[in-house]
């Protein structure tokens, strides 16, 4: 009788021990499943996927630089790139005091003009001074066929005049150590001659006729 009771108690104790162990194992498995392991972490690719579309085919530096050199700059215009003309800008019958000078890019590539043309009226001791307030800013580009304009005021009034029978033009030194080009003689804007004095002025190169001529016609 006592032997049977002890056996029953040992069996019940064994079942309780088994149940506690099973519960602990289940809790451990649940905890492990909730925490990310090495296998659960997504690894980003070491190399990004190649882009598609038009932007993918254009690498830096592949753009069309037009007539720019390797540094991205455009060369300054020379006399060989341009043709020049001088036109009377006064009403018929009035004394000639205003001249419009036009430079046309007759070459095959884009070039830049800068500063002001050096225009010498006849036997003047030097080029006409640049009119105050008309000094150009940055150089601007002339594509083939495009024009640049400059205005010339021949007389400032109330000064001794002299007779002009020819007009010379240069673009000035192209910069650096390069020498200025030989002057270009412009065709006279009127038959015969005209008068000039020490009040003569020239504007900087401008991209439009209005910007070049308005300052001189108001003087």
């Amino acid at each position: 009788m006592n032997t049977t009771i002890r056996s029953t108690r040992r069996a019940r104790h064994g079942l309780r021990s088994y149940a506690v162990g099973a519960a602990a194992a289940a809790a451990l498995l649940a905890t492990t499943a909730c925490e990310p392991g090495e296998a659960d972490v997504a690894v980003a690719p070491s190399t990004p996927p190649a882009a598609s579309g038009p932007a993918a085919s254009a690498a830096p530096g592949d753009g069309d630089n037009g007539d720019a050199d390797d540094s991205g700059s455009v060369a300054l215009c020379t006399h060989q790139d341009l043709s020049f003309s001088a036109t009377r800008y006064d009403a018929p019958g009035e004394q000639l005091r205003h001249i419009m000078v036009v430079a046309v890019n007759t070459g095959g590539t884009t070039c830049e003009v800068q500063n002001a043309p050096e225009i010498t009226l006849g036997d003047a001791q030097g080029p006409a001074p640049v009119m105050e307030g008309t000094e150009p800013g940055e150089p601007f580009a002339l594509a083939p066929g495009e024009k640049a304009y400059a205005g010339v005021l021949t007389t400032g009034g109330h000064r001794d005049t002299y007779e002009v029978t020819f007009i010379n033009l240069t673009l000035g030194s192209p910069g650096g150590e390069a020498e200025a080009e030989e002057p270009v003689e412009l065709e006279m804007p009127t038959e015969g001659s005209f008068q000039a004095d020490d009040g003569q002025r020239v504007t900087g190169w401008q991209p439009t006729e209005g910007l070049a001529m308005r300052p001189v016609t108001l003087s």
Side-chain angles (χ1 to χ4, degrees):
M1 179 67 179
N2 291 335
T3 303
T4 303
I5 293 172
R6 284 196 295 268
S7 298
T8 302
R9 287 177 179 175
R10 282 198 296 269
R12 290 176 177 175
H13 178 74
L15 289 174
R16 285 199 298 269
S17 299
Y18 174 80
V20 170
L28 178 62
L29 289 174
T31 303
T32 305
C34 293
E35 295 180 357
E38 292 182 358
D40 298 324
V41 179
V43 179
S46 58
T47 304
S52 61
S57 61
D62 289 345
D64 184 6
N65 290 331
D67 300 299
D69 58 23
D70 292 339
S71 66
S73 61
V74 177
L76 292 176
C77 297
T78 67
H79 291 175
Q80 293 182 340
D81 299 315
L82 307 173
S83 66
F84 305 94
S85 62
T87 305
R88 178 190 182 110
Y89 213 75
D90 300 285
E94 292 183 354
Q95 176 186 352
L96 188 152
R97 294 187 64 233
H98 310 101
I99 298 172
M100 181 173 68
V101 175
V102 180
V104 183
N105 184 349
T106 55
T109 60
T110 298
C111 61
E112 287 186 336
V113 292
Q114 65 175 359
N115 301 328
E118 295 184 352
I119 295 177
T120 305
L121 301 179
D123 294 322
Q125 294 182 352
V130 179
M131 180 176 287
E132 185 176 356
T134 70
E135 299 86 350
E138 294 295 323
F140 62 92
L142 290 182
E146 291 185 338
K147 300 176 181 180
Y149 302 83
V152 180
L153 178 67
T154 65
T155 61
H158 308 294
R159 294 176 174 86
D160 293 337
T161 62
Y162 67 96
E163 188 175 11
V164 177
T165 58
F166 63 93
I167 303 173
N168 283 338
L169 176 150
T170 70
L171 292 171
S173 174
E177 300 300 324
E179 297 182 357
E181 298 176 89
E182 290 296 319
V184 174
E185 184 170 345
L186 302 180
E187 185 175 347
M188 291 284 285
T190 186
E191 293 183 4
S193 62
F194 60 90
Q195 299 296 305
D197 63 20
D198 290 341
Q200 61 189 256
R201 294 290 185 270
V202 63
T203 70
W205 288 116
Q206 303 293 340
T208 67
E209 176 181 334
L211 290 174
M213 298 309 301
R214 188 174 299 112
V216 297
T217 55
L218 295 176
S219 299

